Amino acid sequence: MTAVSPVRSATVAGPPRVPIRWALLAGAVALGVQGVVLLTTDRPVRDVLLPGHLALVVALGLVFCLGAVTVAGFAAGAAAAGLVVLQPDTLLPLLVGAALLALGCGLAPGWTRVEAWQAAQSHPLSADAEAPVVPVADRSRGQQLRDRWRSDRVFAAFLVLAFHPVLAACSLWFIDWTQRR
Amino acid sequence: MTVFAPRGALPGPALRPDHGKHAAPQRLGAVLVEQGVLTEQQLAEALDQQERVGAPLGSVVLAKGWVTRRELYVGLAAVWGADLAFVDPVDVDEGLARRFPAAMLARETWVPLRVEEDGDGHRQVVVATAGRPSAHIAEVVVQRTGIPRVRQVVTTDWDVQRALRTVWRDELVHDAVSALAERRPDESASTVFVRPQIAALIALLVATVTGLVLDPSLTMLVLVATVNVAVALAVGAKAVISTVGTAWETVEQVTAAEVDALDDAELPVYTILVPVYKEAGIVGLLMRNLADLDWPREKLEILLLLEEDDPETLAAALAAAPPDIVRIVVVPHSLPKTKPRACNVGLAFARGEYVVIYDAEDRPDADQLKKSLIAFRKGGDDLVCVQAALNYFNARENLLTRMFTLEYSSWFDYTLAGLDKLRLPIPLGGTSNHFRTHMLRDLGGWDPYNVTEDADLGIRASARGHRVAVVNSTTYEEANMAVGNWIRQRSRWIKGYMQTVLVHTRHPWRLLRSVGPRQAAGFALLIGGTPLMFLAAPWLYAMLAVELLAPGALTPALPGWLVQVSLANLLLGNGVIIYLSLLAGFKRRTYGLVPFALLSPLYWLLHSIASYKALWQLLVKPFYWEKTNHGLSSHVQAEDTPDMDAGPAPAPGPARTAEDRA
């Protein structure tokens, strides 16, 4: 009664090890600094928090995109929602940014590594799903990028990044609408 | 019919191993060859295998199907120098039987048969044992009967179990149903509401009615605010726990290298319990699903637990001609007819050091038993249970299976991982919970009155100072694909959560002291908060509808700020649920399911329907087990007839994957 997964039998590199704890800690420190500045200066809330939030969105979004760390997408989305609350007209640029990051997720090698590692942990799901994670030697760079690309991953990544700011924008709109009625 | 060999059997060595563990293997082998049931070549191969896996020779040749059980025991009786008997339950003296507890006999695999006179006219007790005759058995018999002479004969383990199921039937049923309720009534759901809870509920009801009469606005404010706070806390707790789990998504509790380093010779016997009821069509499938398991067959014991009033399934199981490692245990009919009752009967017969539950349609990862064993070894002595993740092989069958898969992914991949990381009580999932057998017995087994006995057991283990952990291995199940079937199943789960909350909050201070405030809060928010969220959701939606259709209609009864807070709560709660479902697709690369997360609010409304059904049943039919029909998926129906004897099934590859079959 011995079964060995064909994927496991191949050498599978581990997922990218991004020190996400430190990244989140740095984000928390940045928010803390913004809070202190807000309390100790007379500058408007928006002016103080906006740059910090933007930095968080970019930094965590890049961690999500390049490091394939799901929780970083959560944090980036939350920071983006904060941006929308601070400055509602940032929604459209944020969605464009989310789309660009999602496209990056479609090509970033980190995702392929995570998927290969995950495939080694359990039953593979489908031929299509497994195709990009099977290492193939002697491929051109263009072919490698095509192998890595997954449209469903790109769309899913976009939803994760865009959901929070869209929810925040809809909430603001709804509150405004109910108050104006 | 009882048949005795000519020689007499007397108490043997002090130790009583299983299956001739200490019988000289060469000798058993030689006997089997001499008897013509084993060839020299087979013996040589069996001895090699015995050395490799460290199992008794008898288990090896039995697992390979080279000898029948009867042939093996004929050989063992000769090796042990004992008489051989094939025990017919009608030959067992019931008066004598009542002096011996069924649980002990099941564990030690022997039964007392009768009292007779030996050749010298002395009274002696005859016992039949499936192991080597031993001084231990003789001591126990003397102790319980006062008769100093004991004759031990050898019989098959199946004969022992058949006798136990027949002669000790009432005791087995009683133990399975009432042991927990009698030993620890405070931990059993056999009483739905205890008096203080009834008093508290009545007081709450009276206070509410009085309040509504005297000051309706204030009462409504308190009620709505309380519901809002509870829902917000429950949703918040789920979000925090799942986010922590998300942060640890690539952490392996057990690595492949650790699994590879395991030596088969050091592996213990593992028992797999498979409760099946009215699932005749699915029984055969079990054999192939479990055939993939990477564990020596000689050290595997599969107990197929069938109900007495389900002859169709029994016939199907017999027709499937399962190999010798599969034992069919017919669970005597009694009420409540629940899965935990059957599991308790199975636990009585389990001989493995570890025990796990699978459903018949489950497809565990091949290395799950090994990973669980390593998790136990790494987890310390207080680790009582290891829960593997559950997921679905028919995720893409329809919208409901997609939503169900997202929910399960979120729960098992992130929420349970978060609970594990935060060291909070883990409610076990329906199957694939691996236990240390002796600790499970000490805990009292499963509560047959609780319809989510697994969740209850996880909490009970925590309350007793034990720990439950998760392991990075998955069992694939069949997602419920019909709405009516889904609501039935879900109403049972939610009712079970309600039962679990009622049981473990009977002594709130005791719970607080035993598990600590953080764990108690985690339990209250997750197990108590889940049904509460579902029950409250329709009311919050109703408030939204009223506010949209008739703005300000609620403000005479409620302050405007509270209406706004309620709507925000609803919005935020749904946002959190959608978001957690969005993330759920990432761990398993099921990106195609992710967009369906946006439909989570609709899916959660189904939970509300199920939760009101659960609440109703809690009051009128608290122990009723809403049966979930399995085998509806086309993936299951399309399976070929399995053949466990044929050895391991082909390793799963892209050609036979879930999505391809969709």
Side-chain angles (χ1 to χ4, degrees), chain B residues 453-637:
Chain B
E453 75 293 344
D454 29 37
D456 167 72
L457 187 56
I459 305 302
R460 190 175 353 131
S462 299
R464 295 252 206 102
H466 298 306
R467 211 161 53 77
V468 175
V470 296
V471 68
N472 53 319
S473 180
T474 303
T475 297
Y476 290 88
E477 298 192 299
E478 177 195 358
N480 212 320
M481 53 180 292
V483 174
N485 204 26
W486 184 95
I487 288 179
R488 277 200 299 279
Q489 182 184 51
R490 191 53 61 115
S491 68
R492 173 165 62 78
W493 292 356
I494 296 172
K495 182 171 71 174
Y497 267 38
M498 292 172 178
Q499 285 181 308
T500 304
V501 169
L502 287 169
V503 166
H504 295 283
T505 53
R506 286 171 182 171
H507 304 285
W509 292 115
R510 193 193 296 173
L511 177 74
L512 205 60
R513 277 200 307 273
S514 62
V515 302
R518 199 167 59 88
Q519 280 83 353
F523 160 71
L525 291 174
L526 201 68
I527 308 299
T530 300
L532 186 73
M533 272 193 298
F534 299 145
L535 291 169
W539 297 101
L540 294 176
Y541 273 112
M543 286 177 73
L544 175 66
V546 171
E547 192 58 20
L548 287 178
L549 296 172
L554 292 169
T555 39
L558 292 170
W561 64 267
L562 188 55
V563 175
Q564 296 296 327
V565 166
S566 300
L567 299 186
N569 210 0
L570 179 68
L571 193 69
L572 197 67
N574 276 306
V576 167
I577 297 309
I578 292 174
Y579 199 76
L580 293 178
S581 301
L582 282 174
L583 295 179
F586 278 79
K587 169 128 183 178
R588 294 180 185 271
R589 302 156 284 141
T590 48
Y591 304 122
L593 297 179
V594 171
F596 292 92
L598 299 174
L599 300 175
S600 294
L602 295 176
Y603 180 61
W604 281 62
L605 274 177
L606 276 183
H607 286 76
S608 294
I609 296 170
S611 68
Y612 277 96
K613 183 178 178 187
L615 186 61
W616 174 248
Q617 280 202 354
L618 181 73
L619 300 173
V620 298
K621 287 197 284 189
F623 313 126
Y624 177 66
W625 187 274
E626 282 279 13
K627 174 87 178 78
T628 310
N629 294 324
H630 293 294
L632 303 178
S633 165
S634 58
H635 301 249
V636 173
Q637 290 161 0

Side-chain angles (χ1 to χ4, degrees), chain A residues 57-77:
Chain A
V57 172
V58 173
L60 293 167
L62 286 173
V63 170
F64 175 66
C65 172
L66 302 176
V69 181
T70 312
V71 74
F74 171 87

Side-chain angles (χ1 to χ4, degrees), chain B residues 133 138 157 167 193 224 226 257 261 288 299 341 387 494 548 565:
Chain B
D157 50 351
V167 182
F193 297 97
V224 176
T226 306
R288 189 171 68 186
K299 294 182 170 180
R341 186 188 60 98
Q387 169 75 58
I494 296 172
L548 287 178
V565 166

Side-chain angles (χ1 to χ4, degrees), chain B residues 164-358:
Chain B
L164 281 168
R165 288 199 309 269
T166 310
V167 182
W168 281 264
R169 172 196 166 99
D170 293 344
E171 188 184 333
L172 279 173
V173 169
H174 178 267
D175 284 354
V177 172
S178 308
L180 183 69
E182 287 175 358
R183 283 164 60 191
R184 300 188 186 91
D186 276 353
E187 297 179 0
S188 165
S190 55
T191 304
V192 182
F193 297 97
V194 293
R195 282 185 184 171
Q197 287 171 335
I198 295 171
L201 282 174
I202 291 173
L204 200 62
L205 199 65
V206 169
T208 305
V209 171
T210 310
L212 284 172
V213 171
L214 297 178
D215 192 340
S217 290
L218 181 64
T219 310
M220 284 300 291
L221 186 148
V222 171
L223 278 178
V224 176
T226 306
V227 167
N228 270 288
V229 169
V231 169
L233 285 174
V235 172
K238 192 172 168 64
V240 169
I241 291 165
S242 299
T243 306
V244 170
T246 313
W248 294 91
E249 69 179 348
T250 55
V251 171
E252 293 176 281
Q253 288 86 6
V254 178
T255 64
E258 287 174 305
V259 172
D260 292 340
L262 274 181
D263 180 0
D264 280 356
E266 294 172 4
L267 300 179
V269 175
Y270 222 112
T271 299
I272 298 176
L273 300 180
V274 188
V276 183
Y277 185 53
K278 297 201 183 296
E279 293 174 81
I282 210 169
V283 168
L285 186 63
L286 164 78
M287 309 306 165
R288 189 171 68 186
N289 290 342
L290 297 186
D292 279 350
L293 283 174
D294 178 14
W295 195 268
R297 298 181 63 161
E298 297 81 359
K299 294 182 170 180
L300 205 54
E301 175 189 54
I302 301 172
L303 300 185
L304 194 56
L305 308 174
L306 307 181
E307 295 286 343
E308 199 172 46
D309 63 349
D310 183 15
E312 294 84 7
T313 309
L314 177 60
L318 293 172
D324 259 333
I325 60 169
V326 178
R327 268 190 292 149
I328 295 173
V329 177
V330 179
V331 179
H333 171 74
S334 71
L335 293 175
K337 188 174 280 303
T338 57
K339 175 177 158 187
R341 186 188 60 98
C343 288
N344 282 338
V345 173
L347 182 62
F349 288 102
R351 285 178 291 173
E353 194 177 325
Y354 297 91
V355 62
V356 59
I357 295 183
Y358 290 127

